[in-house]
């Protein structure tokens, strides 16, 4: 396989050919089974050291032009794999190391979960006099199913709570219900 990909920011074991990057994009989109943001995928694969951000972006565009992936929204941001892209993923997946495929899929699923969790929460950090409060709400179809307001020591603690809440709001909701019903 030719080493023809831009490799700035790619860790050892990452992808060094455009063909590998194309296969990985098809593989990830086929594996997760839902539309994925092109920007998110570019940043994610770059952050993980799997592929260069510009290389991923160029190959998403090339795969779209060739009909292996398609845009699913009017903004031109979210993509899903077509049947031909799915065939590429299944046929050529062994050209990309298993560890790279697994790492990319796991990171993509984590990104999608965080996006979903962010959309299912409403968090406000407010100041009332000298006090800092955080209000964490869990939503179901824009309907508040739980809201908790906490007095915190400062905005750093509020941000820590916010990040923890966004990680898994349904788990926190379940734990609160368990505490109240035991």
């Amino acid at each position: 396989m030719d080493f023809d990909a831009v490799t700035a920011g790619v860790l050892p074991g990452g992808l060094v050919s455009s063909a590998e990057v194309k296969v990985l994009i098809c593989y990830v989109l086929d594996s997760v089974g839902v539309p994925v943001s092109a920007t998110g995928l570019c940043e994610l694969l770059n952050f993980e050291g799997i592929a260069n951000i510009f290389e991923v972006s160029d190959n998403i565009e090339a795969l779209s032009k060739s009909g292996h992936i398609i845009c699913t929204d009017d903004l031109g941001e979210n993509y899903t794999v077509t049947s031909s892209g799915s065939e590429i993923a299944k046929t050529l997946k062994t050209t990309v190391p298993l560890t790279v495929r697994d790492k990319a899929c796991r990171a993509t699923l984590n990104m999608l979960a965080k996006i979903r969790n962010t959309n299912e929460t409403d968090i406000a950090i407010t100041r009332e006099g000298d006090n800092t409060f955080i209000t964490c709400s869990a939503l179901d179809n824009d309907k508040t199913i739980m809201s908790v307001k906490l007095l915190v020591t400062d905005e750093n603690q509020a941000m820590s709570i916010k990040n923890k809440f966004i990680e898994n709001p349904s788990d926190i909701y379940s734990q609160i219900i368990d505490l109240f019903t035991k």
Side-chain angles (χ1 to χ4, degrees), residues 114 117 123 134 136 156-169 172:
K114 187 169 185 171
N117 288 348
I123 299 174
I134 182 168
C136 300
N156 288 334
Q157 186 181 37
M159 291 305 293
S160 177
I161 291 169
K162 174 183 176 179
N163 292 334
K164 197 69 167 169
F165 188 75
I166 288 174
E167 264 182 39
N168 198 343
I172 292 171

Side-chain angles (χ1 to χ4, degrees), residues 93-134:
K93 72 179 180 183
T94 57
T95 62
V96 177
L98 176 62
T99 55
V100 171
R101 293 191 317 257
D102 286 350
K103 184 178 184 180
C105 286
R106 189 172 39 257
T108 303
L109 289 170
N110 287 339
M111 175 186 71
L112 292 170
K114 187 169 185 171
I115 290 168
R116 185 189 68 244
N117 288 348
T118 300
N119 291 336
E120 293 176 353
T121 61
D122 183 31
I123 299 174
I125 299 171
T126 57
R127 301 233 356 119
E128 296 176 18
D130 291 338
N131 296 319
T132 303
F133 291 91
I134 182 168

